[in-house]
Amino acid sequence: KKYDAAVVGAPFDGGTTYRSGTRFGPQGIRRISALYSPYNFEMGVDLREQMTLCDTGDVFTIPANIEKAFDQISNGVGFIAASGAFPIVLGGDHSIGFPTVRGVASCTSKKIGIVHFDRHADIQEKDLDERMHTTPYFHATNLPNVPPKNLVQIGIGGWQVPRAALPVMRQRRPTVFSVSDVEELGPEKVIEMALDRAWDGVDAVWLSFDIDCIDAAFVPGTGWPEPGGFLPREALKMVGLVAKEGLCGMEIVEVSPPYDTSDITSLMALRVIVDTLGSLVAHGKMGAHKHIIDKPFSPF
């Protein structure tokens, strides 16, 4: 119980529908982390001085068994969450978005909202007859304490949103912002609206950041690159504003080092993580979620 935050890798890409490689995401993010210091000039934050952090290693995932891998991931995240530490999950494809939330949700009787950055809706029930990386938010919002009305999706659009997702979106009514919405309204207004919805009637919020929400020019190392996404500075601005209000954990997904160039996608993923931590620390929100952890960890 002595750590404020704990990193855990979820090296799983068995939910990928086309270009695999995200199983190497945790390796790539950890490797490039040697490039950074713990101090941020603009924030005036030194993470080494102002918080405690550990790396718990990787979840032992099962490449040929999606459901068993999901149980393993929920167990790893649930164990960390039950300790009171802030889980930082390194994916992995976005199918892990269901078991990660399930892990945290299993340790609390309180309700959890989700802020989901992505170019893809990821809310259809199945893909290729399995719970693939296009499906996590159908299943996450089936959890009794993760209401679909508190799911906010930012960046959705382009030519890779399956039509199978649309009936579910109409039925469950998540709040969806496209890149054009952010462009027209501005990052600050969009996040103000997003937080109002995500926090409505819940006790904590989970952050899921799919690296492909950023324009493909900046993140070539991902399985489903989509031109027309966010600029890095837009994405970082929004992440900082979300974290400012507090979070119960986060994940970064869809980093695929085999497709990367000069580690720039892994570096962007790392930057999202440290900006989140920096914002939590700067605004006194690191550890603010601990009050929701009111149930013991029980393995799946």
Side-chain angles (χ1 to χ4, degrees):
K1 294 183 183 288
K2 66 178 180 178
Y3 294 105
D4 292 319
V7 174
V8 61
F12 181 71
D13 57 13
T16 303
T17 51
Y18 186 45
R19 301 206 308 180
S20 60
T22 55
R23 73 186 68 182
F24 302 112
Q27 289 180 27
I29 297 168
R30 286 186 175 107
R31 184 173 61 245
I32 201 65
S33 70
L35 198 63
Y36 271 177
S37 81
Y39 174 71
N40 180 276
F41 174 76
E42 293 104 326
M43 292 184 191
V45 165
D46 191 313
L47 297 180
R48 186 159 48 200
E49 293 181 357
Q50 294 174 262
M51 62 171 288
T52 54
L53 174 70
C54 69
D55 190 334
T56 65
D58 287 347
V59 173
F60 192 91
T61 58
I62 297 94
N65 192 319
I66 291 177
E67 297 303 323
K68 223 168 188 180
F70 283 179
D71 289 347
Q72 293 284 87
I73 293 165
S74 291
N75 287 339
V77 175
F79 184 84
I80 290 169
S83 78
F86 179 88
I88 304 166
V89 186
L90 313 180
D93 70 50
H94 215 160
S95 68
I96 73 167
F98 162 59
T100 53
V101 171
R102 183 176 65 170
V104 175
S106 72
C107 299
T108 180
S109 62
K110 309 298 185 183
K111 292 182 179 179
I112 298 172
I114 301 171
V115 175
H116 164 216
F117 287 90
D118 207 324
R119 289 292 274 153
H120 312 107
D122 292 355
I123 200 170
Q124 63 199 75
E125 182 176 5
K126 288 187 177 180
D127 197 342
L128 305 175
D129 208 33
E130 298 281 355
R131 298 205 278 190
M132 305 294 277
H133 68 166
T134 48
T135 71
Y137 296 108
F138 180 94
H139 303 287
T141 58
N142 273 344
L143 296 168
N145 55 341
V146 184
K149 77 176 182 68
N150 298 102
L151 170 63
V152 179
Q153 302 179 294
I154 304 172
I156 311 303
W159 293 90
Q160 296 170 359
V161 179
R163 292 181 70 180
L166 299 183
V168 182
M169 295 169 84
R170 293 190 185 103
Q171 178 190 19
R172 302 207 175 183
R173 311 286 292 177
T175 299
V176 180
F177 296 96
S178 67
V179 172
S180 297
D181 291 331
V182 175
E183 201 173 23
E184 291 169 14
L185 297 172
E188 293 87 351
K189 185 61 179 177
V190 165
I191 297 305
E192 178 190 335
M193 297 164 69
L195 290 171
D196 185 60
R197 187 66 168 170
W199 277 98
D200 182 25
V202 303
D203 303 278
V205 166
W206 172 267
L207 173 63
S208 180
F209 193 96
D210 189 324
I211 203 70
D212 67 32
C213 74
I214 296 172
D215 189 90
F218 302 99
V219 289
T222 188
W224 284 102
E226 176 63 54
F230 296 124
L231 295 173
R233 63 174 172 264
E234 291 173 328
L236 294 172
K237 174 74 171 178
M238 290 188 285
V239 163
L241 291 171
V242 170
K244 181 179 176 181
E245 301 303 319
L247 294 166
C248 64
M250 71 172 297
E251 66 193 356
I252 185 91
V253 297
E254 297 291 352
V255 174
S256 185
Y259 290 102
D260 208 0
T261 301
S262 302
D263 295 320
I264 61 173
T265 309
S266 294
L267 180 62
M268 187 68 224
L270 174 68
R271 181 65 194 264
V272 169
I273 294 167
V274 293
D275 273 33
T276 300
L277 296 178
S279 184
L280 287 169
V281 168
H283 295 96
K285 293 295 185 178
M286 178 59 73
H289 71 285
K290 290 183 180 182
H291 71 280
I292 73 162
I293 306 301
D294 59 8
K295 293 168 66 176
F297 166 70
S298 182
F300 287 85

